[in-house]
């Protein structure tokens, strides 16, 4: 019987490496933030759900969790550059510390858009925590404050990141076999 795991060509970052790095980022955040800061962690759905779930369990300071859904990709591997808010924050971020939790910064369009969106609402500060960074693909200048791993210019999946809405459940970050994309192109 074939499974979705047969579609994976290689593992880029193992489950153990991801978990160890998230513990480190959690520690860095614990050294900076206090209960008084009461940061709002804003998880960017859907890709960052797994990262947020693991990261929040390492944090020892009081914080709140909020969710936003942003769409920038279709079921494709190329960014459209067009960012749309599908689910917005319902809480005020005025004078609050906002920590954006993202799965990957690629062209930078999503984070750039969010930084402007938040800046208009007078937060105390906005920082960006991303599990993955693909700096070779930047179209706008964006520098995440906390980065889990830098990845090469390849389309990656797993640990929350999808291809065509699938593979988010894979516990590591990997690359799909080229024929998986080709089959989809043939269907189009
Ligand atoms: P950006 O706006 O181009 O920086 O892209 C941000 C969003 O595109 C991320 O939050 C991901 O959802 C998606 N994305 C970018 N690169 C990849 C990838 O290699 N695999 C899966 N999703 C990606
Ligand atoms: Mg995303």
């Amino acid at each position: 019987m074939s499974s979705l795991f047969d579609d994976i060509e290689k593992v880029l970052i193992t489950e153990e490496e991801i978990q160890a790095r998230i513990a480190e980022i959690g520690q860095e955040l614990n050294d900076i933030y206090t209960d008084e800061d009461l940061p709002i962690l804003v998880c960017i759905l859907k890709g960052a759900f797994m990262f947020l779930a693991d990261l929040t369990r390492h944090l020892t300071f009081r914080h709140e969790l909020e969710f936003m859904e942003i769409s920038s990709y279709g079921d494709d591997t190329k960014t459209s550059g067009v960012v749309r808010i599908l689910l917005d924050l319902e809480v005020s971020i005025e004078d609050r510390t906002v920590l954006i939790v993202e799965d990957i910064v690629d062209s930078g369009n999503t984070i750039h858009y969010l930084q402007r969106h938040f800046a208009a609402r007078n937060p105390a500060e906005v920082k960006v925590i991303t599990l993955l960074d693909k700096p070779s693909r930047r179209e706008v200048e964006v520098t995440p404050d906390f980065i889990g791993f830098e990845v090469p210019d390849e389309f990656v999946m797993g640990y929350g990141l999808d291809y065509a809405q699938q593979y988010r459940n894979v516990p590591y970050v990997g690359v799909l076999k080229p024929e998986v994309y080709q089959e989809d192109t043939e269907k189009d």
Side-chain angles (χ1 to χ4, degrees):
M1 266 254 284
S2 79
S3 93
L4 65 104
F5 292 93
D6 298 330
D7 294 348
I8 300 168
E9 178 164 85
K10 63 178 178 207
V11 179
L12 276 187
I13 310 167
T14 67
E15 196 174 348
E16 293 72 23
E17 288 169 329
I18 293 171
Q19 294 305 329
R21 184 72 188 113
I22 293 175
E24 283 175 4
I25 295 174
Q27 197 49 58
E28 278 182 63
L29 295 170
N30 288 337
D31 290 342
I32 298 170
Y33 296 102
T34 65
D35 288 353
E36 288 72 55
D37 296 318
L38 193 62
I40 307 179
L41 270 67
V42 178
C43 175
I44 308 304
L45 297 172
K46 305 177 184 124
F49 81 97
M50 207 176 271
F51 180 34
L52 176 88
D54 284 334
L55 181 64
T56 187
R57 282 179 281 184
H58 286 284
L59 304 183
T60 51
F61 54 90
R62 290 176 194 265
H63 59 281
E64 298 172 4
L65 302 180
E66 294 292 338
F67 297 84
M68 259 182 106
E69 187 170 1
I70 307 290
S71 137
S72 54
Y73 268 88
D75 285 349
D76 207 349
T77 60
K78 295 277 177 329
T79 180
S80 60
V82 179
V83 179
R84 269 195 315 142
I85 296 183
L86 303 180
L87 173 73
D88 205 349
L89 290 183
E90 298 291 340
V91 296
S92 166
I93 59 164
E94 193 166 346
D95 297 326
R96 301 291 303 269
T97 294
V98 176
L99 305 177
I100 300 176
V101 180
E102 181 55 303
D103 54 354
I104 184 167
V105 180
D106 184 36
S107 70
N109 285 312
T110 304
I111 290 300
H112 182 72
Y113 177 89
L114 283 173
Q115 283 172 330
R116 278 180 304 157
H117 180 78
F118 288 153
R121 288 162 179 72
N122 302 313
E125 70 166 345
V126 178
K127 298 275 190 217
V128 176
I129 308 168
T130 187
L131 179 72
L132 305 176
D133 188 19
K134 222 193 264 182
S136 57
R137 299 239 320 156
R138 273 310 186 281
E139 291 169 13
V140 291
E141 213 186 300
V142 164
T143 311
D145 300 281
F146 302 88
I147 298 168
F149 303 89
E150 211 174 275
V151 288
D153 183 7
E154 276 186 281
F155 190 80
V156 299
M157 42 54 66
Y159 197 77
L161 290 94
D162 73 308
Y163 169 64
Q165 298 302 330
Q166 297 177 38
Y167 310 100
R168 296 190 196 274
N169 59 308
V170 172
Y172 49 83
V173 172
V175 176
L176 293 173
K177 294 175 179 166
E179 55 263 35
V180 178
Y181 308 118
Q182 279 151 19
E183 279 164 24
D184 284 359
T185 314
E186 280 157 22
K187 268 191 290 184
D188 285 347

